Amino acid sequence: MSAAQGLAVSTGVAAQTALVGAVVAIRGASTDGATFAALMAVGATLALVATIAAPRTAALPGKVHQ
């Protein structure tokens, strides 16, 4: 895995965590099961997008990165 791929995955995870954390913090104790499930679905979608995008950041063939 290249550094760019690692950065893409880490950024996706951080964005998902920040989004879900912010919504739960704003809603506080009123966060019910359905809302939490929807937030997890959004988070899973963001993680999937980051996973799909990560290979696109791979090093070009023939390039040597150290």
Side-chain angles (χ1 to χ4, degrees), residues 1-2 6 11 14-15 17-19 24 26-27 30-31 34 41 44 50 52 54-56 62:
M1 176 186 291
S2 73
T11 302
T17 302
L19 177 68
V24 169
I26 290 168
R27 293 186 55 97
S30 66
T31 304
I52 291 169
R56 296 180 184 271

Side-chain angles (χ1 to χ4, degrees), residues 42-64:
V42 168
T45 302
L46 286 173
L48 180 61
V49 169
T51 301
I52 291 169
R56 296 180 184 271
T57 62
L60 297 173
K63 296 282 185 172
V64 177

